[in-house]
Amino acid sequence: MERTLILAKPDALQRGLVGRLLTRFEQKGLKLAGLKLMVMTPEIAAQHYEAHEERPFYPGLVRFMTSSPIVAMAIEGIGAIAICRKLMGATFGCNAEPGTIRGDFGVSNSFNLVHGSDSPEAAEKELALYFKAEELLEYDLNSFQWIYDPVEELGQEG
Ligand code: UDP
Ligand code: MG
């Protein structure tokens, strides 16, 4: 199992799309391990977007991400990081394929509704920026028995 950080960005919250975004991840068969409505502080933004600090879009990105609340989600599943990136679609809404979140709900290069960690290292770092260890819950999701093959994929005895 892998965990990844997903953010519903300020545009998603302001446009009333948070529920529909969360549904995309749920209906795919991913498990919610953490959920939080919060404001991204300038301190969190600086750490989260450290790698983009020198890019021309950085000041606008930080302004956007700190302008209004976000919803942080910890999403779990086998291969969750790559699966979530696929569900999100390409970075720019104008390029993102229909059927993806960014392809279906937006057209902007910057107001693109959703963030998802892009590697296991990023997921670990980013989850720690938004969630304390005890806010990430361990529980059995009953539906996993029908989402995965329990013997082949979950390693349970047949
Ligand atoms: N971004 C932007 N202009 C750009 C490139 C990126 O405003 O030319 C913003 C956009 O909101 C994007 C975020 O910066 O989601 C992080 O960029 P990245 O390349 O990491 O894209 P992502 O991983 O979100 O697809
Ligand atoms: Mg990125």
Side-chain angles (χ1 to χ4, degrees):
M1 288 288 162
E2 211 170 59
R3 273 184 184 161
T4 185
L5 176 80
I6 298 296
L7 301 177
K9 295 186 177 184
D11 54 334
L13 190 86
Q14 290 290 345
R15 293 177 55 199
L17 295 172
V18 173
R20 292 166 81 177
L21 261 59
L22 179 51
T23 296
R24 297 275 175 130
F25 299 104
E26 286 186 308
Q27 71 189 7
K28 179 68 174 168
L30 296 159
K31 173 179 165 184
L32 194 58
L35 184 66
K36 189 182 283 192
L37 175 68
M38 59 183 285
V39 171
M40 188 187 280
T41 62
E43 292 73 29
I44 295 175
Q47 290 181 72
H48 184 129
Y49 289 116
E50 205 173 23
H52 293 316
E53 207 185 334
E54 304 300 326
R55 309 287 290 278
F57 60 83
Y58 178 80
L61 176 60
V62 172
R63 196 179 332 115
F64 164 50
M65 291 302 295
T66 58
S67 64
S68 187
I70 58 167
V71 175
M73 313 173 199
I75 299 277
E76 188 174 309
I78 297 172
I81 295 169
I83 290 170
C84 287
R85 295 282 300 184
K86 273 198 174 169
L87 292 178
M88 288 160 50
T91 301
F92 296 162
C94 57
N95 296 333
E97 291 293 326
T100 65
I101 292 169
R102 288 162 168 176
D104 285 351
F105 296 119
V107 293
S108 169
N109 290 354
S110 48
F111 287 16
N112 58 4
L113 301 149
V114 64
H115 166 83
S117 310
D118 63 7
S119 67
E121 298 70 33
E124 193 184 343
K125 174 193 149 177
E126 292 173 3
L127 283 166
L129 287 176
Y130 298 87
F131 294 100
K132 298 180 192 138
E134 65 268 25
E135 291 171 337
L136 298 174
L137 305 190
E138 309 260 356
Y139 63 96
D140 290 330
L141 190 66
N142 230 352
S143 55
F144 265 7
Q145 303 300 323
W146 294 101
I147 288 167
Y148 296 109
D149 179 330
V151 177
E152 298 297 330
E153 296 174 308
L154 296 179
Q156 296 171 359
E157 284 177 25

XYZ file of all heavy atoms in Angstrom, residues 81-115:
257
model
N 0.067 6.715 -5.733
C 0.693 7.955 -6.221
C 0.471 8.105 -7.727
O -0.032 9.136 -8.193
C 2.210 7.973 -5.881
C 2.388 8.006 -4.352
C 2.916 9.149 -6.553
C 3.827 7.771 -3.890
N 0.813 7.067 -8.476
C 0.661 7.135 -9.937
C -0.812 7.140 -10.348
O -1.196 7.847 -11.281
C 1.387 5.962 -10.583
N -1.630 6.383 -9.647
C -3.063 6.338 -9.978
C -3.677 7.729 -9.810
O -4.410 8.212 -10.679
C -3.803 5.306 -9.094
C -3.384 3.886 -9.482
C -5.315 5.468 -9.209
C -3.867 2.798 -8.533
N -3.352 8.394 -8.711
C -3.918 9.733 -8.475
C -3.447 10.728 -9.524
O -4.218 11.575 -9.977
C -3.573 10.220 -7.070
S -4.501 9.352 -5.789
N -2.161 10.650 -9.905
C -1.655 11.572 -10.939
C -2.436 11.371 -12.242
O -2.737 12.332 -12.949
C -0.155 11.351 -11.174
C 0.732 11.685 -9.974
C 0.985 13.141 -9.755
N 1.642 13.805 -10.864
C 2.028 15.081 -10.846
N 1.830 15.827 -9.752
N 2.605 15.628 -11.878
N -2.758 10.107 -12.565
C -3.540 9.850 -13.776
C -4.944 10.412 -13.666
O -5.483 10.968 -14.630
C -3.654 8.334 -14.012
C -2.516 7.759 -14.785
C -2.881 6.400 -15.350
C -1.767 5.919 -16.254
N -1.930 4.520 -16.623
N -5.554 10.245 -12.502
C -6.913 10.767 -12.297
C -6.927 12.287 -12.391
O -7.910 12.878 -12.836
C -7.468 10.338 -10.933
C -7.768 8.867 -10.714
C -8.253 8.634 -9.282
C -8.818 8.346 -11.686
N -5.829 12.937 -11.965
C -5.743 14.408 -12.004
C -5.633 14.928 -13.426
O -6.183 15.970 -13.752
C -4.506 14.882 -11.238
C -4.604 14.743 -9.742
S -2.969 14.763 -8.945
C -2.215 16.209 -9.653
N -4.852 14.255 -14.267
C -4.609 14.730 -15.628
C -3.419 15.668 -15.708
O -2.791 15.999 -14.699
N -3.121 16.131 -16.922
C -1.967 17.003 -17.178
C -2.087 18.308 -16.383
O -3.186 18.742 -16.049
C -1.867 17.294 -18.672
N -0.927 18.922 -16.123
C -0.878 20.119 -15.270
C -1.794 21.240 -15.761
O -2.523 21.848 -14.966
C 0.576 20.643 -15.191
O 1.403 19.600 -14.666
C 0.678 21.865 -14.302
N -1.744 21.527 -17.048
C -2.535 22.642 -17.580
C -3.922 22.142 -17.989
O -4.055 21.218 -18.809
C -1.851 23.264 -18.795
C -0.513 23.903 -18.493
C 0.389 24.174 -19.516
C -0.161 24.249 -17.195
C 1.613 24.769 -19.245
C 1.069 24.847 -16.911
C 1.964 25.099 -17.944
N -4.934 22.799 -17.457
C -6.315 22.392 -17.756
C -6.601 22.325 -19.247
O -7.343 21.454 -19.708
N -5.977 23.238 -20.004
C -6.238 23.268 -21.455
C -5.681 22.040 -22.165
O -6.151 21.682 -23.249
C -5.676 24.550 -22.069
S -3.910 24.753 -21.778
N -4.678 21.357 -21.564
C -4.094 20.154 -22.176
C -4.656 18.863 -21.592
O -4.480 17.803 -22.186
C -2.573 20.091 -21.923
C -1.832 21.220 -22.582
O -2.282 21.757 -23.583
N -0.701 21.604 -22.024
N -5.254 18.944 -20.419
C -5.652 17.727 -19.702
C -6.781 17.007 -20.440
O -7.695 17.639 -20.966
C -6.071 18.091 -18.278
N -6.674 15.676 -20.481
C -7.649 14.868 -21.210
C -9.009 14.888 -20.518
O -9.100 14.845 -19.292
C -7.162 13.404 -21.252
C -5.941 13.165 -22.095
C -6.192 13.379 -23.580
O -7.303 13.082 -24.042
O -5.268 13.854 -24.259
N -10.068 14.899 -21.331
C -11.405 14.697 -20.750
C -11.426 13.376 -19.969
O -10.751 12.416 -20.352
C -12.318 14.606 -21.980
C -11.574 15.263 -23.072
C -10.111 15.045 -22.791
N -12.172 13.355 -18.890
C -12.195 12.157 -18.040
C -11.296 12.319 -16.833
O -11.478 11.644 -15.830
N -10.313 13.230 -16.931
C -9.473 13.538 -15.764
C -10.088 14.727 -15.025
O -10.923 15.460 -15.586
C -8.034 13.893 -16.190
O -8.054 15.118 -16.949
C -7.409 12.795 -17.039
N -9.676 14.920 -13.791
C -10.215 16.032 -12.998
C -9.911 17.361 -13.681
O -10.796 18.189 -13.901
C -9.628 16.003 -11.572
C -10.155 14.772 -10.813
C -9.961 17.288 -10.814
C -9.452 14.500 -9.491
N -8.634 17.571 -14.027
C -8.266 18.848 -14.645
C -8.867 18.979 -16.042
O -9.179 20.085 -16.490
C -6.742 18.978 -14.685
C -6.135 19.230 -13.292
C -4.664 18.924 -13.279
N -3.986 19.409 -12.074
C -2.707 19.186 -11.821
N -1.961 18.489 -12.673
N -2.152 19.651 -10.710
N -9.044 17.858 -16.728
C -9.642 17.891 -18.064
C -11.134 18.176 -18.037
O -11.667 18.796 -18.955
N -11.787 17.743 -16.997
C -13.246 17.899 -16.938
C -13.688 19.201 -16.292
O -14.786 19.685 -16.558
C -13.880 16.742 -16.147
C -13.912 15.451 -16.939
O -13.611 15.489 -18.151
O -14.224 14.401 -16.350
N -12.866 19.766 -15.396
C -13.368 20.878 -14.588
C -12.648 22.205 -14.793
O -13.034 23.195 -14.182
C -13.315 20.513 -13.102
C -14.210 19.366 -12.721
C -13.684 18.198 -12.187
C -15.588 19.447 -12.890
C -14.511 17.133 -11.830
C -16.422 18.393 -12.539
C -15.881 17.229 -12.015
N -11.581 22.244 -15.607
C -10.859 23.513 -15.697
C -10.152 23.732 -17.021
O -10.016 22.805 -17.835
N -9.721 24.948 -17.238
C -8.993 25.321 -18.459
C -7.676 26.043 -18.171
O -6.880 26.265 -19.067
C -9.846 26.243 -19.371
C -11.036 25.492 -19.930
C -10.304 27.487 -18.610
N -7.459 26.387 -16.885
C -6.340 27.261 -16.534
C -5.016 26.506 -16.372
O -4.991 25.324 -16.044
C -6.678 27.969 -15.218
O -5.561 28.636 -14.688
N -3.904 27.234 -16.572
C -2.571 26.687 -16.334
C -2.215 26.693 -14.856
O -1.356 25.933 -14.419
C -1.515 27.526 -17.064
C -1.601 27.366 -18.556
O -2.370 26.546 -19.061
N -0.819 28.155 -19.273
N -2.807 27.600 -14.104
C -2.435 27.725 -12.695
C -3.579 27.321 -11.767
O -3.359 26.640 -10.764
C -1.979 29.147 -12.392
O -2.893 30.077 -12.908
N -4.807 27.715 -12.074
C -5.960 27.328 -11.261
C -6.414 25.947 -11.747
O -7.386 25.818 -12.484
C -7.093 28.349 -11.412
C -6.871 29.673 -10.720
C -5.607 30.073 -10.279
C -7.929 30.539 -10.504
C -5.410 31.290 -9.653
C -7.744 31.763 -9.875
C -6.486 32.148 -9.448
N -5.674 24.925 -11.325
C -5.921 23.586 -11.874
C -6.442 22.602 -10.839
O -6.244 21.399 -10.949
C -4.673 23.065 -12.591
C -3.474 23.008 -11.660
O -3.588 23.288 -10.472
N -2.340 22.625 -12.185
N -7.103 23.120 -9.824
C -8.006 22.374 -8.935
C -7.405 21.405 -7.932
O -7.955 21.217 -6.857
C -9.035 21.575 -9.774
C -9.894 22.433 -10.674
C -10.291 21.666 -11.928
C -11.107 22.943 -9.924
N -6.303 20.763 -8.319
C -5.863 19.639 -7.490
C -4.337 19.521 -7.501
O -3.688 19.825 -8.506
C -6.559 18.344 -7.997
C -6.139 17.973 -9.404
C -6.369 17.165 -7.058
N -3.794 19.128 -6.363
C -2.371 18.763 -6.262
C -2.280 17.293 -5.901
O -3.083 16.801 -5.107
C -1.664 19.577 -5.171
C -0.319 19.005 -4.821
N 0.810 19.277 -5.564
C 0.059 18.111 -3.854
C 1.830 18.582 -5.061
N 1.407 17.873 -4.029
